Structure formats: C-alpha cells, structure tokens
Amino acid sequence: RVGKRYPQLDHIGPGGGQSVRPGANGSYAQLPFGIDRYSVPVIGSFTDGLQLQAETTTSWYSLPERSEDSPLLIISAAGEVSHLDMNGVRQSGQELKLEYGRTEESAEDGVEWIGDMEPLDIDTAPQWRNLRFPLDELPDDADAVRIRAADFNVTPDQWLAFTPPRV
C-alpha cells in the first residue's frame, strides 16, 4: 500500500520531509538527492491513523549492460531497514531486499528467480539514504531485478518508503 502522507523527517540532509502537493503516485514524500518526485514514484508502508501490515514485490526491471562506470544499483529508502550490522548481528527494521533473476520465456512472469541480497549502507535511519547493491556480486547471467519489501511492525515509528532502483 502507498501511504498518502509520510511523517515529517528531521535533519535528513538533501531532500526529505513532506510536500503540500502530491507527487508521481500520490505520495507527499519529498525525495532526496535531486530525484524528481513528480516523475519517480514512492512506495511505502506509512499511513495516517491505524497502521497495517504491508508487503510488496515490484515488477522486474531489466538490468543495463554491466559497466565499470556504473558498478552499483541504488535504491533510495527511508525508514528502518532490517540488516546485519558489522558484527553480524541482525538489527530490527522492515525487510527490503533486491531479488535478481534471468530472463526465461518459460518462467511464469518471464524471469526465473535466482536469489536475493540485502543492501549496503543501512545507517542514518529513518532519513532518506541511498542503499547500494554492488552489481559485481550478482551472477553473470542475472539480467533482471525487483524489490521485495515487507513491514509487519504496526507501530507508527516503524515504516518503510523507497524508490525504484537505478544504476
């Protein structure tokens, strides 16, 4: 589900907070890093009032030809994201993973799922930040990606928002 409004985010650096006019898909979230909120949708779990559990899996996105000039896939995200810290201890938050696959005509949706990975750079939550996925960690035959996100914590300060991936 896409919330109509997102909580005010303080001290977030470039971008963030709320706008008085809705963006591309009705979200009021101010996007960071010069991302055009009128052309880039925001997917999120926050809503005014009663919080509900939410989960989504995006459509598959085709990966461009790999290049040393573009070694990373980036997803801009805000909110708490579950992750392993530098000591290998799971930190709480919502699930956000990049799933990768290979185009396969016989697959149900045209892509055969191969695996998934967690993003790097989880810190600075709940502020907007760029989550990195090194493309060289994907198998050579992976040519498509999608985002799987889940928010099963219904407390108001636990939510997740993210943009589509970009290379």
Side-chain angles (χ1 to χ4, degrees):
R1 66 190 157 89
V2 176
K4 294 248 181 203
R5 297 185 68 81
Y6 289 83
Q8 184 66 39
L9 304 175
D10 296 324
H11 307 87
I12 60 166
Q18 299 181 101
S19 176
V20 295
R21 293 181 20 217
N25 63 334
S27 170
Y28 287 82
Q30 286 282 26
L31 295 177
F33 316 118
I35 298 172
D36 180 7
R37 61 185 301 279
Y38 297 106
S39 63
V40 176
V42 175
I43 302 154
S45 64
F46 181 86
T47 188
D48 287 329
L50 178 65
Q51 302 296 303
L52 301 171
Q53 293 183 349
E55 61 184 317
T56 191
T57 301
T58 68
S59 297
W60 289 102
Y61 297 90
S62 296
L63 285 172
E65 194 71 32
R66 296 192 195 180
S67 158
E68 288 184 20
D69 295 335
S70 301
L72 300 171
L73 183 138
I74 304 292
I75 297 171
S76 293
E80 300 287 342
V81 177
S82 174
H83 64 283
L84 292 175
D85 68 14
M86 69 164 101
N87 298 315
V89 176
R90 172 71 50 196
Q91 299 299 313
S92 67
Q94 284 43 257
E95 179 181 299
L96 187 144
K97 291 190 177 183
L98 183 75
E99 296 186 338
Y100 49 89
R102 71 178 142 261
T103 304
E104 187 70 50
E105 287 184 31
S106 62
E108 184 176 321
D109 54 5
V111 177
E112 178 184 356
W113 182 92
I114 300 173
D116 62 33
M117 62 192 304
E118 289 188 350
L120 304 175
D121 307 321
I122 299 295
D123 47 63
T124 72
Q127 296 88 346
W128 281 102
R129 66 259 189 217
N130 284 330
L131 305 180
R132 300 179 304 148
F133 298 87
L135 291 173
D136 64 358
E137 292 183 12
L138 297 178
D140 290 339
D141 59 344
D143 61 0
V145 295
R146 66 184 179 187
I147 302 167
R148 183 170 35 93
D151 175 2
F152 297 125
N153 187 330
V154 296
T155 56
D157 65 340
Q158 293 293 314
W159 51 272
L160 178 66
F162 60 93
T163 65
R166 61 192 185 278
V167 173

